[in-house]
Amino acid sequence: MAPHRDIAARRTLALVGPSAAGKTSLAEALLWKAGVLGAPGSVEKGNTVSDHDPLEKQALRSLNATLLHFTHRGITIHLIDTPGAPDFLGQSLPALEAVETAAIVINASAGIEPMAVRMMEWARQRERDRIIVVNKIDALGVNLEALVAQIQAAFGRECLPLNLPSQRGERVVDCFWKRTDNGPRADFSSVEKAHRALVEQVVEVDADFVERYLNDGDVDPGELHAPLEQALREGHLVPICFVSSRTGAGVPELLDVIERLLPDPSESNPPAFLEGEGEDARPVAATTDPDRHVLAHVFKVTQDPYVGKMGVVRVHQGTLTRDSQLYVGDGRRPFKVGHLFMLQGKELREVAKAVPGDLCAIAKVEELHFDAVLHDAAEDAHIHLKPLDFPVPVHGVAIEPKRRGDEQRLHDILQKLVSEDPCLRVEHAVSTNETVVYGLGELHLRTLLERLAEVHNCQVTTRPPRIAYRETITTAAEGHHRHKKQTGGAGQFGEVFLRIEPLPRGSGFQFVDEVKGGAIPHNFIPAVEKGVRQAMEQGVVAGYPVVDLKVVVFDGKHHTVDSKEIAFISAGKKALIAAVQAARPCLLEPIVDVEIAAPDQHMGDITGDLAARRGQVSGTHSGAAGSLTVLAQAPLAELASYQLRLNSLTGGQGRYTISFSHYEPVPPTLQQQLAAQYKVRDEA
């Protein structure tokens, strides 16, 4: 069935990839060539449509995912410009959920960087169509032919040029519609060779076209739309396009590629909607029919100082209007859409409706939250998208307001910032009475602190990051405590017997009630669990949360007059502490995956330094000319201020990224040291 006319006239695209690849400049060039701008803005001058946040202008880099839109030959194109630093994956990864195509932008001078590799893999896992855009093709000394070879070595032979640079990067020549080398010649390879490779790759997905190609020697590209879209959906073809966002070379050709070759919403892989939870979840088929009931996904939340809370949504099915009555997930009360906006950077343009393939914003609805599914049918209450696999935030900083009395205000602001970024986490450490903010890296946390000070005028003090150690047990044990207090009149009494067992790493916490005969009345069991959870949060060995634990309450005693909830909370808490102390407890530390890119002459120093930090190198791979990337695992505690060390080892030419891998036991000497520090702190 042919797609609805509105749907066929939609394209959605996210620009993703490393910092300094020129994504924001490319977005400006696309807006300029599409006639939206009289001239492209500049990141250095702080006048781009994308980087409108004051902190972005100050940092000269994107910190947020920004929505843009323009029209080209009657096609509405929704574009998302994303930050390139690994610290802001909470902004760039959700953009993949909102688009049909991920455009991985590569800096021609820098070559394949770790962030490009990661975004290619994430886009593949989420079954997005992918296109590689090689930017800065006019830079001095670039070897684009060698770069194509690197791309194919890194990502597969299915990565093929859709056009080729010509006249030393001053322009590009098409290789899909054009079949021969008449006209401007390519700087390397040839139009004929590239065209043949593209056609052969595309026809492979359709047996009829294979037969025609073998018989006729070629196929009219105009007939290849359906097999081309299939090849893109299946990852059988990943086109490569060449541009210079600075000069505009290749940008009109990229616009044509977006319009003529990239999928509309009906041609891409459907969204991964599920109904139900866990193993019982089953796939739900969403269609791009604008006349069906609504399914829309909130992939971004912002707190606008003038508009208030705003949810940015991708419409997958049905039609949103200003009067739509929508539910948020399994919420029972619908809300009415008062205003529907199309976003152009910081500008809001009100629209009457949004159809499948549109990206729009709904303002002033407090119930909206990141990853929510909006719908208008009660039977869709339990539909959600397959969760994104976000990196775990492990860089922490303890934070408190400079001015006494600002604690609640700081808490409220942090909750707003966390609602905007799924890779920020705030915890209250009970043992030290600290508020700890966790992020993906030093830049992530520094940006948060700058936003607190400059945007929200909230002055804070910070302390060095506290490593997110965890406690667990290595064997089963039992614990018992009798809480008895008599102070005149009614007293307090509660007695709890429990046993604990270790669970596999990452399993969390299980609480089981096996009390027989009413030894502990049923209404006091939640109090026992509350006490157990309090003890686990506070820690037993060194003041860190206890994890991967099964607690079974099997006996106890109560008093008909003196037993109270507070007594069983205290008994449960102290029984758990006694059991953990008897269960050979151990401390766990976060281990992170490390990717270090640096000139190859420094690799010996880097690997030696990693070994001294209890790190283990797992491999290396080649990057741009003369550089290598080291893959390793190391304890997070050993990487404090690592960039400073890396600068010293590489003369400032090294860079690294980390992502959480797993927890594993700390060395015995470190456990003794941390336990001793906790004992001193506890006694004080």
Side-chain angles (χ1 to χ4, degrees):
M1 186 177 70
H4 187 280
R5 184 180 61 190
D6 284 348
I7 312 306
R10 296 289 188 274
R11 306 288 184 272
T12 57
L13 189 72
L15 301 179
V16 297
S19 295
K23 298 183 296 297
T24 298
S25 298
L26 177 57
E28 289 289 305
L30 287 166
L31 291 172
W32 170 47
K33 291 296 184 182
V36 175
L37 302 177
S42 163
V43 172
E44 291 72 24
K45 293 179 181 177
N47 62 349
T48 64
V49 180
S50 291
D51 291 353
H52 56 82
D53 186 306
L55 291 183
E56 292 178 313
K57 295 180 181 181
Q58 179 181 313
L60 299 179
R61 70 194 308 163
S62 298
L63 305 175
N64 306 293
T66 303
L67 273 67
L68 310 164
H69 66 270
F70 52 89
T71 302
H72 179 66
R73 294 178 183 162
I75 301 296
T76 298
I77 299 168
H78 295 285
L79 187 70
I80 307 180
D81 179 26
T82 68
D87 292 49
F88 302 108
L89 284 168
Q91 292 286 324
S92 54
L93 281 183
L96 297 178
E97 298 299 270
V99 298
E100 270 68 57
T101 304
I104 294 85
V105 184
I106 291 177
N107 182 339
S109 297
I112 300 171
E113 300 175 80
M115 191 64 172
V117 177
R118 295 170 78 175
M119 295 311 297
M120 278 288 284
E121 178 58 20
W122 269 311
R124 185 194 66 78
Q125 289 177 1
R126 301 304 285 194
E127 296 186 326
R128 302 296 91 186
D129 290 20
R130 291 168 292 162
I131 181 172
I132 295 171
V133 181
V134 177
N135 193 12
K136 305 186 181 182
I137 61 173
D138 58 323
L140 291 175
V142 296
N143 186 338
L144 298 176
E145 183 175 15
L147 179 56
V148 170
Q150 285 182 8
I151 289 171
Q152 292 177 335
F155 304 129
R157 304 298 298 181
E158 63 270 21
C159 300
L160 296 172
L162 209 54
N163 52 44
L164 288 169
S166 177
Q167 299 172 9
R168 297 185 178 180
E170 291 184 6
R171 59 174 297 174
V172 302
V173 291
D174 168 68
C175 301
F176 184 73
W177 304 99
K178 192 177 175 189
R179 308 185 192 197
T180 62
D181 286 288
N182 59 327
R185 299 187 65 83
D187 289 341
F188 65 90
S189 185
S190 70
V191 170
E192 183 177 353
K193 181 179 177 182
H195 173 81
R196 186 170 294 278
L198 281 167
V199 172
E200 288 178 355
Q201 191 75 7
V202 170
V203 299
E204 280 183 0
V205 302
D206 190 308
D208 292 338
F209 278 107
V210 170
E211 187 174 348
R212 283 180 54 188
Y213 181 77
L214 292 175
N215 291 334
D216 302 339
D218 201 359
V219 178
D220 182 357
E223 299 181 61
L224 290 177
H225 184 81
L228 173 68
E229 299 306 335
Q230 182 181 345
L232 292 173
R233 279 195 304 273
E234 296 175 356
H236 191 68
L237 173 65
V238 179
I240 303 172
C241 294
F242 294 88
V243 300
S244 168
S245 55
R246 185 182 69 85
T247 67
V251 176
E253 289 81 359
L254 181 58
L255 278 173
D256 287 345
V257 166
I258 295 171
E259 176 225 332
R260 301 176 73 182
L261 300 182
L262 295 189
D264 67 46
S266 69
E267 294 171 324
S268 66
N269 289 312
F273 280 118
L274 301 171
E275 185 170 18
E277 301 293 336
E279 295 180 358
D280 297 329
R282 60 179 185 82
V284 173
T287 73
T288 53
D289 186 346
D291 298 323
R292 293 197 65 195
H293 51 91
V294 171
L295 284 176
H297 176 244
V298 180
F299 67 93
K300 181 177 170 66
V301 171
T302 65
Q303 301 280 351
D304 188 280
Y306 304 106
V307 183
K309 190 174 188 179
M310 189 161 61
V312 186
V313 306
R314 158 66 191 255
V315 182
H316 289 285
Q317 178 178 286
T319 300
L320 283 184
T321 66
R322 279 181 290 203
D323 296 323
S324 293
Q325 295 275 346
L326 298 178
Y327 295 90
V328 181
D330 58 2
R332 296 186 178 182
R333 295 181 58 187
F335 70 90
K336 183 179 180 180
V337 177
H339 300 278
L340 204 57
F341 298 106
M342 198 80 80
L343 301 180
Q344 187 78 299
K346 66 179 178 180
E347 303 295 332
L348 307 179
R349 179 171 67 86
E350 192 156 1
V351 294
K353 68 174 185 177
V355 299
D358 276 336
L359 312 183
C360 58
I362 300 171
K364 298 182 179 178
V365 180
E366 284 303 312
E367 295 88 349
L368 291 179
H369 58 86
F370 173 75
D371 212 26
V373 170
L374 308 183
H375 58 93
D376 58 2
E379 63 266 25
D380 293 337
H382 299 291
I383 290 179
H384 58 93
L385 270 178
K386 180 181 176 182
L388 275 166
D389 187 17
F390 285 109
V392 178
V394 289
H395 282 268
V397 61
I399 184 173
E400 64 182 13
K402 281 186 177 180
R403 192 171 60 187
R404 292 189 64 181
D406 272 0
E407 289 80 7
Q408 186 59 46
R409 179 167 177 262
L410 173 61
H411 175 269
D412 293 342
I413 294 170
L414 287 176
Q415 292 307 312
K416 287 183 178 180
L417 295 176
V418 168
S419 74
E420 297 179 341
D421 188 340
C423 290
L424 278 175
R425 189 174 85 250
V426 177
E427 288 185 2
H428 184 72
V430 178
S431 58
T432 57
N433 196 29
E434 297 182 313
T435 296
V436 183
V437 183
Y438 291 100
L440 297 183
E442 297 166 12
L443 175 62
H444 199 192
L445 293 177
R446 189 166 72 244
T447 302
L448 176 133
L449 296 175
E450 290 171 354
R451 196 170 295 282
L452 280 173
E454 298 184 24
V455 178
H456 297 280
N457 194 29
C458 183
Q459 306 299 321
V460 298
T461 58
T462 62
R463 287 185 291 281
R466 186 171 186 244
I467 301 300
Y469 293 106
R470 296 290 183 259
E471 299 179 12
T472 193
I473 60 172
T474 58
T475 188
E478 292 190 358
H480 159 250
H481 184 78
R482 173 184 287 190
H483 178 83
K484 187 175 182 180
K485 193 173 183 181
Q486 199 73 35
T487 55
Q492 296 178 11
F493 181 85
E495 188 169 6
V496 171
F497 292 83
L498 54 78
R499 62 176 173 269
I500 58 176
E501 305 167 15
L503 292 175
R505 196 80 72 237
S507 299
F509 169 60
Q510 293 180 17
F511 182 84
V512 180
D513 172 17
E514 290 186 359
V515 176
K516 301 289 193 301
I520 300 176
H522 185 70
N523 59 307
F524 287 129
I525 295 297
V528 176
E529 181 177 358
K530 184 176 181 180
V532 166
R533 287 183 179 273
Q534 284 182 3
M536 291 178 64
E537 289 172 5
Q538 294 175 7
V540 177
V541 178
Y544 297 98
V546 182
V547 297
D548 303 334
L549 193 68
K550 180 178 180 180
V551 177
V552 179
V553 179
F554 62 89
D555 201 1
K557 290 182 181 177
H558 74 286
H559 188 278
T560 53
V561 176
D562 291 348
S563 284
K564 297 179 177 64
E565 181 178 319
I566 191 172
F568 279 101
I569 290 174
S570 180
K573 181 176 179 179
K574 292 180 179 177
L576 190 280
I577 291 172
V580 169
Q581 289 172 338
R584 296 213 303 269
C586 77
L587 279 177
L588 304 172
E589 63 180 341
I591 305 297
V592 293
D593 292 317
V594 191
E595 288 188 8
I596 306 167
D600 52 14
Q601 66 264 30
H602 300 296
M603 285 301 130
D605 293 335
I606 290 171
T607 54
D609 184 67
L610 281 172
R613 295 170 183 268
R614 298 191 283 132
Q616 293 185 332
V617 175
S618 58
T620 61
H621 63 74
S622 299
S627 73
L628 281 177
T629 297
V630 176
L631 307 177
Q633 287 191 335
L636 179 63
E638 299 287 346
L639 297 177
S641 303
Y642 184 64
Q643 187 62 56
L644 295 176
R645 178 61 179 159
L646 191 58
N647 290 343
S648 174
L649 292 172
T650 65
Q653 299 181 73
R655 60 192 183 281
Y656 79 105
T657 63
I658 67 170
S659 57
F660 174 78
S661 174
H662 62 283
Y663 275 92
E664 64 180 42
V666 303
T669 53
L670 179 57
Q671 176 161 327
Q672 292 169 7
Q673 178 185 338
L674 291 169
Q677 291 172 357
Y678 175 63
K679 185 177 180 181
V680 170
R681 196 164 65 237
D682 196 37
E683 289 173 352

